[in-house]
Amino acid sequence: MARGVFAGAVLVAGLVAAQGGMADPVSERLFTHKHWMVEIVGFDDGSFSCVAQVSDGDDTFSVWADPWNPVKLQFYSTSWDFSDGGSADLGVQVDRRSPWSLSDAELYQNSVLFNLPEGDASTRFLMEVVGGSTLHLSNDSGSKVQSYSLAGSSASIRALTECVDALADEGDGNPFN
């Protein structure tokens, strides 16, 4: 799998270089399993990120990761409009486990974004996603907003990790960093 992920990183790097001043990200699908897909995404500033995503029509739940930034959760819906920006407190619950509180999640256009803090709590959260069946998103008063299937999340989070490892292995050319 890592060779395929690395080949995807090289392909995206070539696409980014060929397009020069592109405005939109370029992505390459690396893996699909059940309801999930994993992609490597190249941005116009030359940076890369990996994303594992589950979609249900116009609604998606994504886990963004790279070696240099915190893991970011993204909840997206075409029916949401956060053009005024801001932040919100929300809850996330995997199956019937205890809910997680995500305080000060960023509201941006059609997305709710939240950086997972480093540490054991974030690892436990991702392990719940890997072992779960359904993720429930709710507002701060506990009312359900959306649910997402986690079928295929175990293999997809593993593929996401391999993508991030491939990006880290590519590095910046300095073997002492």
Side-chain angles (χ1 to χ4, degrees):
M1 169 72 118
R3 282 189 183 145
V5 170
F6 182 73
V10 170
L11 175 64
V12 171
L15 289 172
V16 170
Q19 295 210 355
M22 72 179 182
D24 293 325
V26 176
S27 65
E28 175 73 21
R29 186 166 298 175
L30 303 173
F31 182 79
T32 52
H33 185 63
K34 296 187 180 180
H35 299 275
W36 284 76
M37 70 172 179
V38 177
E39 294 182 327
I40 185 166
V41 181
F43 299 95
D44 62 353
D45 65 358
S47 65
F48 293 92
S49 191
C50 303
V51 61
Q53 176 175 288
V54 62
S55 295
D56 181 17
D58 294 332
D59 303 316
T60 61
F61 164 58
S62 306
V63 180
W64 289 86
D66 63 56
W68 310 282
N69 297 296
V71 173
K72 184 179 291 268
L73 304 180
Q74 178 184 18
F75 303 93
Y76 173 90
S77 178
T78 57
S79 65
W80 300 338
D81 179 11
F82 305 120
S83 56
D84 293 338
S87 65
D89 296 335
L90 48 111
V92 175
Q93 183 176 18
V94 176
D95 300 329
R96 293 199 161 119
R97 295 180 175 103
S98 297
W100 294 84
S101 296
L102 307 182
S103 300
D104 292 325
E106 178 187 357
L107 305 177
Y108 178 73
Q109 295 180 357
N110 302 90
S111 295
V112 176
L113 305 163
F114 184 80
N115 288 338
L116 290 178
E118 290 188 30
D120 292 341
S122 294
T123 301
R124 282 194 310 275
F125 173 77
L126 289 173
M127 294 314 297
E128 282 189 21
V129 168
V130 164
S133 299
T134 307
L135 184 141
H136 306 282
L137 176 66
S138 60
N139 62 22
D140 62 348
S141 63
S143 297
K144 180 183 151 198
V145 174
Q146 184 66 320
S147 293
Y148 307 89
S149 171
L150 297 178
S153 62
S154 178
S156 297
I157 296 298
R158 192 169 38 255
L160 177 73
T161 301
E162 290 177 8
C163 178
V164 171
D165 289 346
L167 288 178
D169 288 345
E170 189 172 324
D172 63 1
N174 184 345
F176 301 105
N177 283 343

